[in-house]
Amino acid sequence: MFGNSDFILRFFSSIWIISCAFISYILLLRFINFKTALIFLAIFMLNPNTIYYAQELRNYAMLLGNSSIFCVICFIVYKIMQGKIDRKYANRFYIALALLGVSLVLTHYYAYIFIFSSGIIMICLSLKQKRFIKQTLLTFIFIGLVGIIWLGVHIEIGGLLDKILDSHKGLTWVHDGNLFSLIFSIILASLGKYGWGIFIISCIYLVVKYKLEFIKIVADYLPFILIIILELGIISLIYHFGTKTMTTRYFVMLYPFIYLFIAIVFSIYFKNLVPIILLSALILHSIYLSHIYKKEDIRAASEYVRGEFNPKNCKLPIGWIAYARYLPEYEIIEKPILQENCDLIFFGVDNSSDFKSTIETLKQHNISSYKIKSFNGGIVVVKDN
């Protein structure tokens, strides 16, 4: 609608993150307390992952932003169940949970696991407290039904099943390491090594000094820790018996539960010094990652294509629709092709030194004589005349 410049395309992600963070802050400020709200907001907004996804041209900003509000509302509903917040707000929050849950399953198919894990724990909490059982069941059943319908559509016309089947052949977003490395990377990425180091040291100090008091805080928050554990368990089963089509970013929905726990602990037991140290570590980590990070130069690859090939004579063969964002004037084909009057064979991304993935893709389409031009990971395959 507004063009395809980098600013326009990435602007939506930034606005979504900022808006959702602000809503989460307002909810925590209104129903929990100022310190928890402020620390949660700061951790969420200054986290390296949040900063990265707020600039990326993908749906993870929406996923992370919506899950932040979802996690906060789950916690508020839990406090309503405990009788610590007026129950007159309950129905509004259940409606909000239903809408956010639907938005999450529409945004990414791995959000189904997150919603399922949250639903199981929230239903158990309502049964234990003997409050809002009907509302909790109806909310998560509704989200589940919408999710099932959408999953059916995604499999039927969205190619999801093909992607899952391709993962067994090593073709589609398959995690390179073992299960332990996947789980470890999911947890580590939520806060970064420096953030986790400071938080773990802080927790050891709290256990030694406060013991039972700190354990009570952990016990009160335990249901939301169980959501994380349950999801990681389901991920492990899928990894072993289903598909390895997984990357760390598919599970960013869990991160706000971690941030909220840290915010609750710091708001109760620490004055300003420790949260400031943690936030400083997050900022420094973001600066460090920004300095060493190198993104595939799709723009430069696109400029090469535009300069060398005429859209009147050439179609644009791409590995993924997003790679065509700088070249809207071309007719798009989502596979490598040999063109009679054009030397352009393929346009994609491959960060490996030997272009193994690209070579395998070309081989599957019976393409053998070619040259690969790399633009820091953005690759253009042309005929080798």
Side-chain angles (χ1 to χ4, degrees):
M1 184 181 296
F2 301 106
N4 63 345
S5 68
D6 272 352
F7 175 80
I8 291 297
L9 294 175
R10 298 176 192 275
F11 182 71
F12 180 79
S13 293
S14 298
I15 289 298
W16 200 273
I17 286 288
I18 293 168
S19 300
C20 291
F22 179 72
I23 293 169
S24 300
Y25 168 78
I26 292 298
L27 288 170
L28 288 170
L29 177 65
R30 172 70 177 83
F31 294 98
I32 307 301
N33 59 62
F34 169 72
K35 284 186 178 180
T36 301
L38 185 61
I39 295 173
F40 176 85
L41 177 68
I43 294 173
F44 180 79
M45 290 296 287
L46 297 176
N47 194 279
N49 266 299
T50 306
I51 295 171
Y52 177 81
Y53 293 124
Q55 303 172 69
E56 199 182 33
L57 183 70
R58 294 195 189 183
N59 58 350
Y60 299 107
M62 181 180 286
L63 204 62
L64 187 58
N66 286 3
S67 63
S68 72
I69 306 174
F70 183 89
C71 293
V72 166
I73 292 179
C74 280
F75 183 71
I76 292 173
V77 168
Y78 175 49
K79 291 301 175 184
I80 294 174
M81 289 179 183
Q82 291 179 318
K84 296 180 180 179
I85 297 176
D86 195 329
R87 62 182 296 157
K88 71 180 181 180
Y89 300 104
N91 288 335
R92 302 177 196 178
F93 282 125
Y94 275 108
I95 292 171
L97 279 182
L99 294 174
L100 286 162
V102 167
S103 75
L104 285 167
V105 298
L106 293 181
T107 303
H108 200 282
Y109 51 89
Y110 270 114
Y112 288 69
I113 304 173
F114 174 70
I115 294 298
F116 177 80
S117 303
S118 301
I120 290 294
I121 299 302
M122 292 301 290
I123 289 168
C124 289
L125 287 174
S126 66
L127 291 171
K128 180 182 177 182
Q129 299 290 336
K130 297 180 180 179
R131 292 183 178 182
F132 308 109
I133 297 172
K134 181 179 177 181
Q135 291 96 321
T136 307
L137 282 169
L138 288 175
T139 296
F140 286 97
I141 288 173
F142 172 72
I143 299 170
L145 288 174
V146 174
I148 290 170
I149 294 170
W150 180 239
L151 189 62
V153 172
H154 214 44
I155 289 173
E156 184 66 26
I157 64 175
L160 178 60
L161 189 58
D162 292 335
K163 290 180 181 179
I164 293 173
L165 293 175
D166 282 347
S167 73
H168 293 288
K169 305 172 187 175
L171 300 177
T172 310
W173 291 307
V174 178
H175 179 67
D176 293 330
N178 56 27
L179 177 61
F180 174 79
S181 71
L182 174 66
I183 299 300
F184 181 77
S185 66
I186 292 170
I187 298 299
L188 182 65
S190 64
L191 207 60
K193 55 187 176 183
Y194 304 113
W196 273 115
I198 292 168
F199 181 64
I200 290 171
I201 292 171
S202 301
C203 285
I204 292 172
Y205 167 77
L206 292 173
V207 169
V208 172
K209 184 171 183 179
Y210 295 100
K211 296 178 182 175
L212 290 177
E213 289 182 51
F214 180 68
I215 292 172
K216 286 180 181 178
I217 297 297
V218 175
D220 185 56
Y221 198 79
L222 184 60
F224 304 102
I225 298 174
L226 290 177
I227 290 175
I228 298 173
I229 293 172
L230 179 57
E231 173 157 354
L232 294 178
I234 296 171
I235 291 169
S236 301
L237 292 174
I238 293 173
Y239 186 89
H240 271 301
F241 302 108
T243 175
K244 292 180 173 61
T245 307
M246 299 178 182
T247 70
T248 301
R249 65 178 180 268
Y250 289 175
F251 309 105
V252 297
M253 301 80 71
L254 292 173
Y255 296 169
F257 275 134
I258 297 172
Y259 304 156
L260 183 57
F261 177 64
I262 296 171
I264 291 168
V265 170
F266 281 5
S267 68
I268 295 174
Y269 288 113
F270 285 108
K271 294 183 179 179
N272 294 330
L273 183 61
V274 176
I276 288 174
I277 293 173
L278 174 62
L279 297 175
S280 299
L282 293 177
I283 294 170
L284 291 172
H285 194 194
S286 294
I287 293 171
Y288 170 72
L289 292 176
S290 297
H291 178 69
I292 65 171
Y293 182 72
K294 292 184 178 180
K295 186 69 174 172
E296 304 92 353
D297 199 346
I298 297 173
R299 180 195 289 274
S302 300
E303 289 174 354
Y304 172 81
V305 170
R306 182 177 283 114
E308 295 292 325
F309 305 104
N310 190 329
K312 294 180 180 179
N313 303 323
C314 294
K315 296 178 182 178
L316 182 66
I318 55 171
W320 186 37
I321 190 68
Y323 301 154
R325 62 182 177 266
Y326 297 114
L327 301 165
E329 66 270 28
Y330 286 79
E331 181 183 345
I332 296 168
I333 306 292
E334 289 193 71
K335 63 179 181 180
I337 57 170
L338 290 171
Q339 306 182 61
E340 290 185 6
N341 300 315
C342 180
D343 289 346
L344 181 59
I345 295 174
F346 194 49
F347 182 101
V349 164
D350 193 334
N351 288 305
S352 61
S353 58
D354 56 3
F355 305 115
K356 182 179 179 181
S357 176
T358 300
I359 292 170
E360 180 64 27
T361 301
L362 294 168
K363 183 179 178 181
Q364 290 171 2
H365 290 83
N366 300 314
I367 298 172
S368 57
S369 182
Y370 54 82
K371 292 187 293 186
I372 299 177
K373 297 182 179 293
S374 179
F375 299 84
N376 195 36
I379 58 105
V380 179
V381 181
V382 298
K383 292 178 183 176
D384 187 10
N385 296 321

